[in-house]
Amino acid sequence: MDPEKKRKIRLVVALSAAVLLATALVYTSFSASTEAKSPSELLADAPAGSVEAYGKVVSEETMPDGSREFVIADPEDASATVPVTYEGQVPDPFREGRDVIVTGEMVNGTLVAEKDTLITKCPSKFSDEAEDDPNIVIDDSL
Amino acid sequence: MSNFSIDFGLACLIGALVAFAFGAGAGIYGGVKADRRWVDSARRAVYAAAALLIVCVVTLEAAFLRSDFSLALVADHSSTTTPTLYKMTALWGSQGGSLLLWAFVLSIASSGVLFATRHKHREVVPWATAVLCGLGLFFCGLMLLAGGANPFERMSPVPAEGLGLNPLLRHPAMAIHPPMLYSGYVLFSIPFAFAIGALIARRLDASWIRSTRRFALLAWIFLSVGILLGAGWSYVELGWGGYWGWDPVENASLMPWLVGTAFLHSIMVQERRGMLKVWNVSLICATFALALLGTFLVRSGILQSIHAFGESTVGTPLLVLIAVVLGGSTALIVSRLSYLRAERRVESMASREAVFLVNNVLLVGLAVIVFWGTFFPLISEAITGERSTLAGPWFDRYVTPLAILLVLFTGIGPLLAWRKISAGRALRLFGPPTAFAGVVLVALLLFTESASEPGALVMFTCAAFAFAGLVGEFVRGASAQRALTGGAWPVSLGRVVVRNRRRYGGYIVHTGIILAFVSIAASSSFQDSDDVRMLPGDSTNVGDYELTYVQPTAFRDLEEQRLTFGSIVEVRRDGELVETLTPSRNYYSSSSAGTVRSFFEGEATSEVGRSGGAGEDFWTAMRPDLTEPAIDELITTSDREIDRLLIPEELPDPSTPGGQAEMRQIAEARSVAQGQIITELQERFEDGQIPVDFRINVNPLVIWIWIGGAIAVIGGLIAAWPTPPARRRRVSDVYAARLAKDLNRA
């Protein structure tokens, strides 16, 4: 075969493969993705199926069976809160006041989380949290 | 004294900015006028900037060492009780400090490459100098002009004590992980600058590649070490037992690594065959843009990440820089397309260059997938208005097959010759590795349960093929050397590696990467894991192991304000004691307010209990349940009691010396009372009244990720090691002879 033609065929085959793969990528990512919602959005319109909720932990409690219940509040609007029940591993930085991301389903106003989906944001060296200031000796306990 | 040194440091930073600005201008002027004197001057400006930035870094390090809290950087990231190692490494914990680190590494690397090329590439170097100076100018300008990014910012009034370092980050791996990643990112700017220089000067042969190849390789090594350290820290410190979570910031370091790896391979094709020129300049521009994007992702907070670095002032300027880099380099490449024509074409798909091309497509494909998955929240928001995210399984679905293909082609590539290979020779070369892979496949099917995980099974088989191919290459090289010079096998092997560092260094990198891939496949597919709540005396089985929670332990460190609840656990296999482990959990007080609660509101870190060797890693982390009602009540009532007893009606005025002394007395009394409650808590814990949640993982082969990584890094160093001048001369004599022959023929 004429080499020019062979090159063209190769190019067409490679491009079609790339287009096919890209289509698969786009298609599966939309079907495999979970919506990310804040507590206010969850309260306004609880979607059916899996959802990723993010917010600040305002209270936490461990149940006798080792599962956890905690409440997350909207980072923008602290009055909007959603209770979460969770089972599985809990990252080290998890505690009240931390920003978390957790995936689950809304059941009767409670987010029933999937096992091991809790992500807690690391407060890094970059964030300056006033509450960590050791110079405030008395104030924050009053 | 300290004031003077800080002012002096700031002056040096401004000096570096001026030097970079001059260097950029002089480089461009020298390039346009083709005037060597201006270019020499620009190069010397880079040396000057490097010297000034060294002074800046030394000044800041000295301020950290003497705990000079008049500097906001020191007060925010260090304290008098911070261990010396972490005082020294706290510099890059801050935004200003890490920008300084960026400019500092850039100036040192630029000085190195400009010194090495001072008599070479007269057309390219002026523009490369200008690009490097432009980048230096950008980062120095960012420190001085963007709010909150100046490392020399003062603190007023001067606090008596600094905030110290986040306990999670008090780990040696975390101390050197950021500068490794940064150095990797920054070093990619050297080949990028020379590529831009070559494009502007229209000198698009392989000379810019030859001069900067080592920098690209060093960048790759630094990036690899940074990624490995981050993964290792996550595994031993974070208490979740994983090493990779497809988090945006992790992905941000992986993307330039993938595209950089593709670049390191495809430049060989340009050097040897004069092909892939557009591809190479595009790859290095993409790598550098991705390195900048990594910095941007860490700083901007636009994506939800485990690394919540918070809003920052440098996000927008960085985004503008990325846009300039992408837009500028695309325009340049398009305008120079006629100079970037390949000198030859791929003659056969069964050639090394064709396989390199496939390997490049795979690596870039991986980068595209990681990019898509990482930015999917933004992409989906733009398209549907809903922000959606993709989790680990989505990434795994795409990355696994591509990683398998990558390992397979890692095995095929080195066996093929440049240009084309005859069928007979291919059969001879591919026969033994294919047979070995077949034997391994059969053995795995017969003696292990890997058939249950087809992905892992295919990965192991491909790895066996690639590994056998590499062994064959070493054997062939050593026996050829032996036939030439005689001597023992190991000597010949050593000699052939030293003689051919680039090639065999590359093979050593391949060996390490294959090992790492195998252990990633094994540890992610065949992990046994369980979460169990236990009281002292309880036992549980995970995999082939039995874990017995023998005894709780408790300890309070007054100086560090740390409370440690630990456990002694015995690990048995087939009834026999394998090891006694002591996983524990540290609670750091969130304030010196003297409440017991403050310990459980502060940072907590896990000390993981690990036992294992080459085969399996037994991993366990523990977490006492302090939300038990009885314990919770003890903490609440005792804190209330401490407040009632020990806080006077009227607080003393801390601005007077008398008031300060009184405050100190109150704090001490509270600390004593707190100590009593904590002793009670400790006793209850040691009595076994507090249940403990254990997470137990049995990870097969996991240690090989880091052993493989270390082998790859050593291989990279061997490949980057300079060739002795005498040998280089011999090689160039050979080239000259060949060239003369070719010219005569033509």
Side-chain angles (χ1 to χ4, degrees):
Chain A
M1 205 190 304
D2 150 42
E4 256 330 284
K5 202 171 171 192
K6 204 168 159 189
R7 274 173 59 79
K8 269 200 186 124
I9 293 175
R10 254 187 223 161
L11 187 70
V12 169
V13 170
L15 281 180
S16 339
V19 168
L20 270 177
L21 279 175
T23 318
L25 196 70
V26 172
Y27 177 76
T28 60
S29 51
F30 275 100
S31 61
S33 66
T34 36
E35 286 175 26
K37 299 265 187 195
S38 68
S40 337
E41 288 168 314
L42 286 175
L43 291 175
D45 172 30
S50 195
V51 63
E52 186 186 277
Y54 57 91
K56 201 182 263 305
V57 178
V58 286
S59 76
E60 58 144 333
E61 198 176 344
T62 309
M63 297 290 106
D65 62 352
S67 70
R68 262 156 206 277
E69 287 187 2
F70 54 86
V71 176
I72 53 171
D74 201 311
E76 322 260 274
D77 168 20
S79 66
T81 60
V82 168
V84 183
T85 60
Y86 176 78
E87 211 181 305
Q89 64 189 35
V90 179
D92 268 357
F94 180 84
R95 63 177 162 99
E96 278 180 35
R98 281 290 144 82
D99 286 319
V100 296
I101 307 167
V102 62
T103 309
E105 267 181 59
M106 286 301 285
V107 180
N108 300 328
T110 299
L111 184 82
V112 180
E114 290 164 29
K115 194 169 192 282
D116 292 349
T117 56
L118 180 65
I119 297 172
T120 308
K121 292 195 179 185
C122 285
S124 80
K125 295 179 279 186
F126 295 103
S127 62
D128 302 320
E129 287 180 47
E131 65 187 55
D132 285 346
D133 187 351
N135 300 309
I136 305 166
V137 179
I138 301 283
D139 298 8
D140 61 346
S141 65
L142 288 177
Chain B
M1 172 62 204
S2 72
N3 266 350
F4 170 73
S5 74
I6 291 168
D7 287 341
F8 185 64
L10 183 61
C12 286
L13 182 58
I14 297 170
L17 175 110
V18 173
F20 277 132
F22 171 79
I28 294 171
Y29 188 78
V32 172
K33 297 277 172 196
D35 187 339
R36 275 311 286 172
R37 288 169 309 167
W38 283 96
V39 181
D40 287 339
S41 188
R43 186 181 72 242
R44 290 185 193 115
V46 175
Y47 298 161
L52 289 163
L53 288 170
I54 290 174
V55 176
C56 290
V57 170
V58 170
T59 310
L60 286 175
E61 284 294 353
F64 271 105
L65 285 176
R66 64 167 189 268
S67 291
D68 182 352
F69 298 128
S70 67
L71 213 55
L73 190 69
V74 181
D76 287 345
H77 301 94
S78 179
S79 68
T80 50
T81 54
T82 303
T84 310
L85 170 71
Y86 300 122
K87 275 185 187 170
M88 295 186 67
T89 58
L91 173 62
W92 42 82
S94 61
Q95 178 164 288
S98 55
L99 289 174
L100 179 63
L101 185 71
W102 185 298
F104 167 73
V105 178
L106 179 73
S107 68
I108 301 282
S110 306
S111 302
V113 74
L114 293 179
F115 179 77
T117 56
R118 67 197 181 283
H119 301 308
K120 289 191 226 162
H121 318 310
R122 300 239 149 148
E123 294 95 337
V124 176
V125 165
W127 305 104
T129 313
V131 172
L132 292 169
C133 286
L135 290 170
L137 181 63
F138 175 84
F139 283 101
C140 289
L142 216 51
M143 277 183 264
L144 291 165
L145 300 176
N150 186 343
F152 292 98
E153 201 169 283
R154 295 297 181 78
M155 192 93 165
S156 179
V158 178
E161 180 57 293
L163 295 184
L165 183 65
N166 185 326
L168 271 175
L169 301 167
R170 289 177 205 160
H171 188 276
M174 266 302 107
I176 43 176
H177 158 83
M180 287 289 151
L181 279 184
Y182 265 118
S183 302
Y185 289 163
V186 178
L187 283 172
F188 275 123
S189 59
I190 306 287
F192 166 75
F194 273 73
I196 296 293
L199 282 168
I200 295 177
R202 300 181 175 83
R203 298 289 299 195
L204 291 155
D205 50 23
S207 60
W208 70 271
I209 290 174
R210 279 191 203 104
S211 300
T212 58
R213 177 184 74 86
R214 288 209 168 77
F215 287 89
L217 197 49
L218 272 182
W220 183 90
I221 292 170
F222 276 116
L223 208 51
S224 307
V225 172
I227 293 172
L228 285 167
L229 285 175
W233 171 78
S234 162
Y235 186 64
V236 300
E237 188 71 18
L238 275 189
W240 68 294
Y243 44 81
W244 192 263
W246 297 114
D247 180 80
V249 172
E250 292 170 358
N251 298 348
S253 63
L254 186 63
M255 288 187 274
W257 187 88
L258 289 167
V259 181
T261 309
F263 174 74
L264 283 172
H265 287 88
S266 68
I267 53 175
M268 282 186 245
V269 180
Q270 181 169 349
E271 280 179 85
R272 299 298 288 268
R273 310 277 303 139
M275 292 185 283
L276 302 184
K277 290 182 177 177
V278 179
W279 182 249
N280 283 332
V281 285
S282 308
L283 276 185
I284 193 59
C285 294
T287 306
F288 185 63
L290 286 169
L292 289 174
L293 187 73
T295 318
F296 168 72
L297 269 187
V298 172
R299 302 283 153 192
S300 65
I302 57 159
L303 291 168
Q304 297 273 10
S305 159
I306 192 164
H307 304 65
F309 293 101
E311 299 295 317
S312 122
T313 47
V314 302
T316 315
L318 267 172
L319 207 56
V320 171
L321 179 64
I322 294 171
V324 169
V325 164
L326 281 179
S329 50
T330 310
L332 253 180
I333 292 171
V334 169
S335 73
R336 299 292 189 267
L337 273 180
S338 56
Y339 297 89
L340 288 162
R341 282 219 190 88
E343 293 155 31
R344 297 186 190 83
R345 298 212 183 285
V346 175
E347 291 174 32
S348 153
M349 285 316 280
S351 66
R352 192 177 282 184
E353 53 266 41
V355 172
F356 272 29
L357 196 58
V358 173
N359 136 308
N360 261 249
V361 171
L362 289 171
L363 285 164
V364 173
L366 277 169
V368 168
I369 286 163
V370 175
F371 183 90
W372 179 268
T374 306
F375 283 93
F376 191 71
L378 300 184
I379 298 169
S380 63
E381 195 171 23
I383 297 175
T384 64
E386 293 280 356
R387 191 175 256 247
S388 302
T389 60
L390 290 166
W394 182 88
F395 283 95
D396 294 340
R397 194 192 306 167
Y398 282 96
V399 170
T400 310
L402 286 185
I404 290 171
L405 285 175
L406 199 59
V407 168
L408 181 67
F409 281 98
T410 305
I412 295 175
L415 298 184
L416 293 174
W418 298 103
R419 299 185 61 188
K420 62 184 163 200
I421 188 168
S422 70
R425 182 154 174 75
L427 203 65
R428 267 204 311 284
L429 286 173
F430 284 96
T434 313
F436 181 70
V439 171
V440 168
L441 175 65
V442 171
L444 283 171
L445 285 172
L446 287 180
F447 303 115
T448 68
E449 286 156 25
S450 33
S452 61
E453 293 283 347
L457 186 68
V458 178
M459 175 61 99
F460 297 153
T461 311
C462 290
F465 169 80
F467 186 71
L470 285 170
V471 170
E473 279 294 291
F474 278 105
V475 170
R476 267 189 294 280
S479 58
Q481 180 71 36
R482 203 160 156 253
L484 216 62
T485 53
W489 270 101
V491 178
S492 303
L493 185 64
R495 205 172 277 162
V496 77
V497 171
V498 170
R499 290 266 160 101
N500 229 324
R501 290 201 182 105
R502 197 170 165 188
R503 175 173 186 162
Y504 289 97
Y507 290 166
I508 295 172
V509 176
H510 284 187
T511 313
I513 297 286
I514 291 168
L515 271 179
F517 272 45
V518 164
S519 59
I520 289 169
S523 59
S524 55
S525 302
F526 303 104
Q527 186 193 53
D528 280 311
S529 175
D530 205 3
D531 297 294
V532 209
R533 157 163 296 216
M534 293 203 275
L535 286 169
D538 290 352
S539 288
T540 185
N541 287 305
V542 176
D544 301 334
Y545 294 85
E546 185 194 40
L547 176 138
T548 310
Y549 175 20
V550 181
Q551 195 194 324
T553 59
F555 172 73
R556 181 164 78 131
D557 185 326
L558 272 177
E559 186 163 320
E560 276 201 63
Q561 286 283 295
R562 184 188 77 206
L563 182 61
T564 301
F565 284 159
S567 59
I568 299 174
V569 299
E570 287 178 355
V571 183
R572 286 190 176 73
R573 193 175 182 166
D574 304 324
E576 261 179 60
L577 185 70
V578 182
E579 197 153 346
T580 306
L581 299 176
T582 55
S584 63
R585 194 165 166 82
N586 301 316
Y587 297 90
Y588 293 85
S589 176
S590 64
S591 71
S592 40
T595 59
V596 179
R597 174 85 59 201
S598 71
F599 276 95
F600 307 111
E601 284 173 347
E603 235 30 92
T605 65
S606 289
E607 292 302 324
V608 169
R610 268 184 59 225
S611 145
E616 257 175 352
D617 215 36
F618 183 92
W619 182 106
T620 181
M622 57 93 75
R623 175 191 288 261
D625 179 13
L626 297 155
T627 56
E628 269 284 284
I631 303 300
D632 196 59
E633 203 189 307
L634 171 72
I635 296 172
T636 312
T637 47
S638 55
D639 274 344
R640 210 175 295 140
E641 203 66 359
I642 293 177
D643 282 352
R644 193 175 66 81
L645 287 176
L646 293 169
I647 294 184
E649 288 290 311
E650 207 167 305
L651 280 177
D653 179 5
S655 59
T656 64
Q660 271 181 10
E662 223 172 304
M663 287 283 266
R664 221 169 295 133
Q665 267 177 6
I666 295 172
E668 269 164 29
R670 286 168 65 94
S671 173
V672 171
Q674 176 198 46
Q676 286 165 353
I677 311 298
I678 285 174
T679 310
E680 159 110 33
L681 259 182
Q682 285 173 320
E683 278 166 9
R684 288 205 195 184
F685 184 66
E686 284 171 338
D687 265 2
Q689 292 181 24
I690 303 177
V692 173
D693 293 318
F694 283 94
R695 183 172 188 87
I696 304 155
N697 294 326
V698 180
N699 297 315
L701 300 180
V702 72
I703 190 76
W704 292 93
I705 295 175
W706 291 280
I707 295 176
I711 292 174
V713 166
I714 292 168
L717 286 172
I718 291 174
W721 207 263
T723 318
R727 164 135 178 82
R728 211 180 308 152
R729 218 168 24 244
R730 268 207 304 281
V731 171
S732 53
D733 287 349
V734 171
Y735 278 130
R738 238 186 248 163
L739 181 69
K741 201 173 147 198
D742 284 353
L743 288 175
N744 279 336
R745 207 183 289 149

